[in-house]
Amino acid sequence: MRHFFGIRDEEFIRGDVPMTKQEIRMAVMNEARVDEDSVILDVGAGTGSISIEAALGAPKGHVYAIERFDKGIELIQQNMEKFNVSNMTVIKAKAPEGMEDLPELDAVIIGGSAGQLGNIIDEAQRLLKIGGRLVVTAVTMETGSAILKELKGRPFEYHGYQMAINRYRKAGPYHLLDPLSPIFIVSATKVQGEETIG
Ligand SMILES: C[S@@+](CC[C@H](N)C(=O)[O-])C[C@H]1O[C@@H](n2cnc3c(N)ncnc32)[C@H](O)[C@@H]1O
């Protein structure tokens, strides 16, 4: 049966590793154009929420999840088991390490880079098909602006936006708004030739 994106946050097994929230995850899946046979790389996979959604949305494809810390790797593996996901390979490495031997990719999603953004994008550029998608998220203004700097002069067409989600929270008979951390999303498509601003 087709997977409809939008697993609720509380369905994931979580620790103290930051996780991409449902509403943001949906935007990322949409920007990554995850299809049933997509081959996807998730860099900085954290608890695995993006990797799991992508793997369920690409049952004939494959997801590679790179995470540098053991506590994340354990959560990713637990979530794979919980969601019965087998079309996924977990790689413990600090990217761009771990990207050397990957196959051609339809999408690369970057949710963590630890000072390696330029080197990770170098590898993503090499691995992505023409028409493949690069989706980068950032919560700090510094990383948000580093993404734009790193895309300059590269063969990607891109657009971006900031998402600020305010969730309903019940307060007695009323509803208040609970804000999530605003996040920058830059969504790029690999093209032949030089960069253009979309
Ligand atoms: C904001 S969290 C990502 C959350 C994830 N998308 C999820 O839904 O659980 C960022 C993660 O990236 C990892 N990370 C940061 N830089 C990395 C790198 N260069 N290689 C691999 N993992 C990295 C961090 O350890 C952290 O778990």
Side-chain angles (χ1 to χ4, degrees):
M1 200 179 85
R2 189 180 154 206
H3 172 68
F4 290 95
F5 292 124
I7 301 171
R8 304 282 296 161
D9 292 346
E10 51 273 22
E11 291 185 53
F12 290 100
I13 299 167
R14 295 180 64 181
D16 54 8
V17 177
M19 187 179 84
T20 308
K21 304 300 183 299
Q22 181 191 356
E23 298 84 347
I24 317 281
R25 212 179 323 116
M26 296 312 88
V28 171
M29 291 297 114
N30 185 39
E31 296 296 351
R33 297 283 188 268
V34 173
D35 206 347
E36 59 172 10
D37 56 357
S38 297
V39 180
I40 300 148
L41 167 66
D42 181 18
V43 178
T47 59
S49 83
I50 287 197
S51 295
I52 298 277
E53 285 270 14
L56 292 171
K60 297 181 191 157
H62 200 86
V63 174
Y64 297 90
I66 301 187
E67 169 55 47
R68 65 196 286 226
F69 291 131
D70 284 330
K71 56 183 181 179
I73 296 286
E74 281 162 29
L75 289 169
I76 296 166
Q77 285 165 341
Q78 288 170 14
N79 279 311
M80 280 175 75
E81 210 167 304
K82 173 166 184 191
F83 289 93
N84 204 16
V85 161
S86 55
N87 56 331
M88 196 170 137
T89 304
V90 184
I91 302 166
K92 182 175 183 264
K94 181 177 175 184
E97 280 161 36
M99 295 174 73
E100 307 82 7
D101 300 324
L102 296 180
E104 190 174 57
L105 297 169
D106 296 294
V108 176
I109 298 164
I110 304 176
S113 50
Q116 294 298 315
L117 187 62
N119 296 328
I120 295 169
I121 294 179
D122 282 346
E123 281 295 88
Q125 184 177 322
R126 179 179 71 78
L127 291 163
L128 279 168
K129 293 177 179 166
I130 299 292
R133 318 284 290 196
L134 172 68
V135 184
V136 193
T137 60
V139 286
T140 68
M141 307 233 279
E142 286 74 10
T143 308
S145 95
I147 300 168
L148 296 175
K149 203 168 140 217
E150 289 298 345
L151 284 176
K152 222 172 174 42
R154 294 182 187 265
F156 284 99
E157 262 178 24
Y158 62 90
H159 63 274
Y161 45 94
Q162 185 227 43
M163 279 184 84
I165 300 291
N166 295 290
R167 286 181 173 170
Y168 286 12
R169 172 167 59 84
K170 279 196 172 146
Y174 302 103
H175 291 83
L176 299 178
L177 293 178
D178 248 358
L180 301 182
S181 267
I183 190 159
F184 298 105
I185 300 183
V186 177
S187 176
T189 304
K190 184 173 165 181
V191 293
Q192 222 123 27
E194 292 303 300
E195 156 240 38
T196 50
I197 297 174

